[in-house]
Structure formats: C-alpha cells, structure tokens
Amino acid sequence: MATALLRLGFRLIAVTGFGLLALPVATAFAAGCVVPSDAFVFEPKLPRTVAALSAGGTVTIVAIGSASTVGRAAGGPDYAWPKQLGVSLAKEFPKAKISVVNLGKARQTAANMAARFAKEILPLAPALVIWETGTVDAVRGVELSAFRETLQSGLAQLRAASEVMMMDIQFSRRTHIMTDFEPYESAIREVADVNDVPMFPRNELMRYWSESGAFDYTVEKKDEQQAMARRLYACIGRALAEFIARRPHAEGSNP
Amino acid sequence: MSSSGGGSGGVRDLRLDFFRGLALFCIFIDHIPNNVLANFTIKSIALGDAAEVFILISGYAAGMVYGRAFDRQGTLTASARIYHRVWQLYVAHVFLFMLFMATVAQAAANLNAGLYADEFRAADFLKEPDVAVIMALTLRFQPAFMDILPVYIVLLLALPAVLLGLRRWPLPVLGLSFALWLAVQFDRGINLSAYPGQSQVWFFNPFAWQALFFFSAWLGWRSNHGGVAWLANRWLFWLAVAIAAAGFLLRVDWTLHWLYDPFPAFFTQALWPLMSKTDLSPLRFANVLALALLVARLIPPQTRFLAGPIAQPFVMCGRHSLYIFCLGILLSVIGHLVINEQFGGIVLQATVTAAGIAVMIGVAGLMDWFAVASGSPKARVAGRGS
C-alpha cells in the first residue's frame, strides 16, 4: 500500500510533465531524445506482436494516421516515424523480417480512416496496427461523442484481426490558441484505457523533449524544420520500438 | 430554491453570485491546458463541470429578475430589457472574436509550418475573411473557448416567449422543453451547424442545454412567488444526496485511475458514452440539478459566510459575471501562452492561475467601485450595508 501511494505521488509529478526525478534513471538515446523510465510503465503490452517478432518470421505492422504519419514535414514517408520504427525494430529483433506499411494520409479524420480499415488494412493481416489520430478531428470540431464512438468501433474492428496501439496528438506550444485539443486527447486516452489497448504517449514525450531542451519545434528556417522533423521522427520510431519490445514481465502482466 | 430561497424583496440572493463567481474561476482554470490545478475544480468532484453551474445560475437569475420585470413592468418592457442584455452579450462575443483574430493572425505563420503543416490548417479562415467574419457575426464560428456565449445568447433570445409561456402553462412548456432535450439524446443530429468544418455543430447544443436553462428560469421565476413546494420533499433531498455522492465517488475514482493506472476505474465502459457535454447528457443534467438542490437546501441565502470577507471575491466576480467571464477567457489564453513558453511546473502554473484570479477579482472590485462612484443603479447592490 505504501509503495502504491509512493507511486501515485510519483505519477502526480510525472503527469505534470515527467518531473526532473525521472531524468537520472532514463534510457539515453544517441540523438539526445531520452525516454523517462516510467513513461510506458502502465501501458498494456503487445505479447502477440513481441512473440511474432521473437519467433523470427515475417511480421507486418501497419501505421495509419494523418499528416504527421505521412511525414511530409521531414520530406516524405522515407523519413517518417513508421519507417524509423522498422529500422529500430530490426535492430531489436534481427531475426524477424519486418515490414512497416505506412497508410498515412493528410487531413483524414478518425472516421475517414476507419472507413478504410476493411479494404486497406485487413487484407495485409498485420500483427500490429498503430492508429494515429485526433488532430484533424479536433481542428474540424468533430463532435466529441461521435469521435469517441468512431474510436470505439474502429478499435473493435481492428482488434478482431490484430493487436492495436493508439497514438495521440502531437505536442505544440501555440496551437491551443486555435483549437482545444485536450478533450480529444482525453478521449483517445480513455477509449484506449477502457479497451485495454496501449496508447503511445507521443504528446507527453514531445512535451518532455521540448522541456528538456532536446527539441525546439518552432525553428523557422525551412531546412532547419526538415532536419528537426527527421530527428524527431527517428526519436519517435526508436521510442516506439522500445514501447513494443517491452517483454511481458510476470509482475506487471495485464489482464 | 425552496420557499426560503427566493429573493422576492430587494434582498439579493448572495448564493447566486457566490457560486457563479466560483464557476467563473473554475472556467478560467479549466481553460488553461496542462494546468494541474484543473484537477481541483468542479469537474473533479462531479460528473460535469463549471459550464452546467454557469448556465443553471444564469437561467435562475434570468428567470428571477426578468420574471419580476414581467410581473411589474409588463411584457414589452421586460422583453426589451432581455434584448438589451442580449445585445451586451453579442457585443462581448464580437469583441472576444476580434481579440482571437488578432492573436491567431499573429501566430498563423508559425502554426502552419514544419511539424504542423497539413495538420492544423490553422487560420484557414484567414484566407476567406469574407466568410469567416459573417460566420462569427451570425454566431456560427465559435473558436476555442468562445462557445458558451453564443448558446447563452440564443437561450436569452427565446426567454421572453418562454417566460410568457411558463407563466400561463408551466407544465406543458416545461414538458416541451424536456421533450426536446430527450429527443436530442436519441438523435444527435438535432443541433445547429457551425463553421469551419463541414459537419461541425455547436459545441453547446442549444436544443439540449435549453432544458437546463429554462427549468432554472422557471425555478427563478417561481422563487418570486414563494418557491416550489415539492422541492422541499424529503425523498427528493435524499435522492439528490445519492446522485451527488455517486457522481463524486465515480469522478474521484476516475481521477485516481488516471493518475495511477493500476487503481481500478469503475463503470467507465458503460458511463463514458453517456457523458456528452455537447448534448448535456442525462448524467450531467442530473448531477448539476442534484448539486443545486443540495446547495439550496443546505445553505441559507443570507448565510454570514456569504457576506463575509472570504466569500467576497467570489461574490464580486459573480456579480459582474459577463465582464469577468470575458476577461477570464482572455486571461486563460495569455496564461496558457506563458505556461507553454516558459515550461513551468506546478509552481509557475499556480502563479499564473493565482495572478489571473487576482486580475479577475481586481477588475470586479474596480467595477464595484465605479458603480458606486458614478452613482449607477448597481451601486445599491455593490455598496452593501449602506
């Protein structure tokens, strides 16, 4: 009970932006983007995907999302996070033949994407689908309960065939003036939570990297922007690989 | 809101001002994204948030004040007073929109560049100002956090007709209002369209929220005439206690679960779909009514506390709710910018929040002073005890 309370207190600090306490025990990456050691602690694991990767066969992962999945800011899908995820996973699981398919399309709402699931994702029989969404819905003001229902039914459809991971909205410093992202962010978190589907905390990580000085997302020159985007997507790809690779522990197993 | 709750004489019901002030502070705090203090507002102790409280009290006050005007000054004058208020709200809305445009136009280049290109489409409306301005003037363009005034405006627009109806046929009018709310629960298509999305609708669905506003307006109007007898029912009180307690326990449970995942969350799967704010879901409706009943029954209108120094800032802000509301919206945008630019932790968030609330209280105090100094009719209210 005491440790539970301690962890609750720790989490309180963590949710306010991964307090500095997390730094000393963090895993360091070469490029300077660090993932706090507790970032993924409570997220459900992906045992079937990990088993398939460890077994060394062919493993297909599908990434579906909007502009930030396409990777236009970095110069296209060759530099986007799905590509980088494939690279990082290959290092982690050298025996597996991994293909990460990028089905990202700019300006798509969750409903637009869900309409493509049956035709474009299910035939690929992926081990894992990563669904990045929320931004376009928030910008267009899609009604919140409609958004939530789309997530719920979309997850049900995907989970019938494969494991699923959600990815939330990008962090930004200034866009909140325009759009209130928080309700959509919470909706993704809650639907993932209710369905016991892992959510990759992209927003929290990007915020953490910005706070710790690893990234400045507001650089203004075009070439600097592209270089920054490439580095960011590489960091997200690596963090994602780490997120997936967490092997099931006896102690922290999920129902 | 029982028989003792009415302000039938000239005595102002301080509870209205106090809780409206409290709601205004909560709205300000909730509107600053990533603010830890938002874990301590109304929304963390009930299935609902400050918006319900704000609409409920606004409806009650409108019913009480304009209901009295209908009784004493006649239909024409009372309606004119309501439309005068509508005009003030409309001007406030347009003013907020101008501030919003200025902020966004400044930030637009940065918003659409780099990582956010193709995603946010921020300021697309700046490319078609001819459309955007008309949409704002017709209340269909409701940028972030500018969504509550439009619904308040259309509800007040309908108030003269509704009050006339309530005075003659209270049950049928309330029944119709409730039926419309119920219809929205089954068909979410019943809403007004908004801009800029193709399928965008009003964030506060007026066809749903009208039920809360007009029911409160009816209670407010009845309070001028001795109140509503059945509100004193003992069983109703215990029902309200049960609803409020259940709402409190559920919300605290969900917050704990969110802070510490292994802590179990109950009924999330079943209840989250029933939590729609846009359509004022039954859970939110029931919870705010239960809280209102408890407050009305447990806190007498002239409690010493409400006239005391601790309650004074709340009462002051609640008294000038329209101006303080607009100010709060503006301050929350500024506060958010400060917090995100400086990346402050809890300390900065608390500082910014405290500073914002201090400004709100300061301006409300200034308005009280001005009312007295300029000898306006509000001075009678502001200069308490004199």
Side-chain angles (χ1 to χ4, degrees):
Chain A
M1 189 60 201
T3 49
L5 277 174
L6 203 69
R7 291 175 86 182
L8 171 64
F10 191 76
R11 187 79 186 136
L12 264 167
I13 298 165
V15 292
T16 66
F18 288 133
L20 288 169
L21 284 172
L23 268 175
V25 279
T27 325
F29 281 136
C33 43
V34 168
V35 177
S37 60
D38 72 333
F40 310 142
V41 171
F42 298 126
E43 292 297 335
K45 290 172 178 139
L46 298 159
R48 280 186 284 146
T49 305
V50 173
L53 286 165
S54 309
T58 309
V59 178
T60 306
I61 295 176
V62 169
I64 188 163
S66 56
S68 67
T69 298
V70 180
R72 241 188 67 179
D78 282 349
Y79 305 94
W81 59 259
K83 180 86 180 178
Q84 302 288 355
L85 166 65
V87 173
S88 297
L89 267 186
K91 285 181 201 152
E92 196 93 24
F93 300 95
K95 281 188 293 173
K97 287 177 266 311
I98 303 162
S99 93
V100 183
V101 184
N102 188 338
L103 293 183
K105 241 186 207 180
R107 304 189 170 188
Q108 289 231 308
T109 60
N112 293 150
M113 291 185 236
R116 293 162 57 207
F117 285 174
K119 237 185 180 168
E120 296 181 34
I121 294 185
L122 300 186
L124 299 173
L128 172 67
V129 179
I130 306 176
W131 189 7
E132 179 266 318
T133 191
T135 313
V136 180
D137 294 83
V139 169
R140 298 210 179 146
V142 170
E143 209 267 306
L144 258 176
S145 20
F147 176 64
R148 195 186 290 272
E149 273 163 35
T150 306
L151 291 184
Q152 182 64 44
S153 61
L155 276 186
Q157 195 185 353
L158 291 176
R159 290 179 81 199
S162 56
E163 285 186 318
V164 189
M165 178 199 295
M166 298 296 302
M167 186 189 282
D168 60 349
I169 299 170
Q170 293 192 99
F171 169 77
S172 70
R173 283 195 187 200
R174 293 187 185 144
T175 41
H176 280 275
I177 308 168
M178 272 299 305
T179 311
D180 186 8
F181 289 102
E182 209 155 67
Y184 295 86
E185 179 77 30
S186 308
I188 298 172
R189 195 188 298 268
E190 285 163 10
V191 174
D193 187 74
V194 163
N195 290 283
D196 211 25
V197 161
M199 189 198 82
F200 179 76
R202 179 168 66 161
N203 190 288
E204 232 174 4
L205 278 180
M206 281 180 69
R207 182 183 173 85
Y208 176 72
W209 289 334
S210 187
E211 279 184 35
S212 61
F215 276 99
D216 176 10
Y217 307 124
T218 57
V219 288
E220 276 175 21
K221 278 198 213 130
K222 202 125 203 151
D223 52 330
E224 280 178 16
Q225 276 176 353
Q226 199 179 61
M228 180 269 295
R230 285 184 184 181
R231 203 161 67 83
L232 173 69
Y233 293 154
C235 285
I236 289 178
R238 268 186 286 192
L240 266 172
E242 187 188 303
F243 189 99
I244 294 169
R246 290 172 306 149
R247 290 159 216 262
H249 300 297
E251 171 250 346
S253 61
N254 282 286
Chain B
M1 270 156 244
S2 55
S3 54
S4 64
S8 48
V11 188
R12 199 173 166 97
D13 188 340
L14 290 179
R15 295 174 304 178
L16 296 177
D17 289 333
F18 177 82
F19 284 101
R20 188 146 59 174
L22 183 68
L24 288 171
F25 292 152
C26 290
I27 289 175
F28 164 68
I29 293 169
D30 288 343
H31 276 173
I32 303 178
N34 306 320
N35 190 352
V36 192
L37 296 170
N39 286 320
F40 302 97
T41 57
I42 295 171
K43 74 173 182 197
S44 32
I45 58 156
L47 304 177
D49 54 42
E52 284 93 347
V53 177
F54 187 74
I55 292 289
L56 178 127
I57 297 180
S58 298
Y60 187 88
M64 188 174 76
V65 172
Y66 299 121
R68 192 153 57 220
F70 267 96
D71 293 341
R72 295 180 186 172
Q73 297 173 306
T75 307
L76 193 64
T77 311
S79 302
R81 281 184 59 187
I82 293 176
Y83 286 126
H84 180 236
R85 184 67 177 162
V86 168
W87 173 247
Q88 288 178 326
L89 290 164
Y90 183 70
V91 169
H93 177 76
V94 173
F95 174 69
L96 274 183
F97 181 75
M98 281 307 296
L99 291 177
F100 166 80
M101 286 287 269
T103 326
V104 169
Q106 286 298 315
N110 205 307
L111 292 178
N112 280 328
L115 292 179
Y116 315 112
D118 255 7
E119 281 261 82
F120 290 118
R121 306 183 61 195
D124 260 14
F125 61 89
L126 286 176
K127 291 181 199 142
E128 44 171 30
D130 50 334
V131 181
V133 169
I134 296 295
M135 289 298 178
L137 289 175
T138 51
L139 304 182
R140 289 164 68 188
F141 185 17
Q142 304 169 0
F145 313 137
M146 287 182 51
D147 34 31
I148 201 166
L149 278 185
V151 75
Y152 192 19
I153 288 172
V154 298
L155 295 179
L156 270 185
L157 274 175
L159 187 66
V162 174
L163 268 183
L164 274 179
L166 280 177
R167 281 150 52 90
R168 233 155 273 178
W169 315 281
L171 274 183
V173 171
L174 285 178
L176 269 178
S177 164
F178 184 77
L180 182 54
W181 170 82
L182 202 61
V184 173
Q185 304 309 310
F186 289 102
D187 180 3
R188 279 206 307 274
I190 308 174
N191 198 339
L192 294 176
S193 71
Y195 172 84
Q198 293 103 338
S199 58
Q200 196 162 344
V201 289
W202 281 36
F203 184 76
F204 289 93
N205 187 343
F207 300 113
W209 284 76
Q210 52 82 24
L212 175 60
F213 187 78
F214 294 138
F215 182 67
S216 316
W218 175 69
L219 291 174
W221 170 64
R222 290 292 304 161
S223 76
N224 296 333
H225 303 276
V228 180
W230 53 263
L231 283 182
N233 185 296
R234 201 154 48 97
W235 294 107
L236 193 65
F237 176 78
W238 288 111
L239 179 68
V241 170
I243 292 174
F248 175 79
L249 289 175
L250 278 172
R251 174 56 78 195
V252 169
D253 170 47
W254 295 348
T255 307
L256 286 177
H257 171 70
W258 183 70
L259 291 172
Y260 181 69
D261 191 83
F263 194 91
F266 298 103
F267 305 116
T268 47
Q269 186 112 40
L271 293 185
W272 271 336
L274 298 174
M275 286 289 292
S276 167
K277 183 169 176 180
T278 291
D279 297 321
L280 185 64
S281 74
L283 294 180
R284 285 173 175 267
F285 203 169
N287 205 304
V288 72
L289 289 181
L291 288 178
L293 186 87
L294 292 187
V295 166
R297 289 284 292 277
L298 298 177
I299 306 176
Q302 301 303 324
T303 314
R304 289 250 302 276
F305 168 76
L306 291 176
I310 297 171
Q312 185 67 3
F314 294 87
V315 172
M316 255 165 33
C317 287
R319 190 153 52 217
H320 304 287
S321 62
L322 173 60
Y323 297 97
I324 301 304
F325 172 78
C326 293
L327 183 67
I329 296 292
L330 180 63
L331 289 171
S332 63
V333 170
I334 296 171
H336 168 64
L337 282 176
V338 171
I339 287 176
N340 261 1
E341 288 294 321
Q342 304 300 325
F343 280 134
I346 299 177
V347 178
L348 183 71
Q349 292 168 20
T351 312
V352 166
T353 307
I357 288 176
V359 171
M360 289 162 81
I361 295 168
V363 170
L366 201 64
M367 294 181 71
D368 269 358
W369 167 82
F370 183 72
V372 175
S374 65
S376 97
K378 271 204 166 176
R380 270 181 288 123
V381 175
R384 285 178 315 100
S386 60

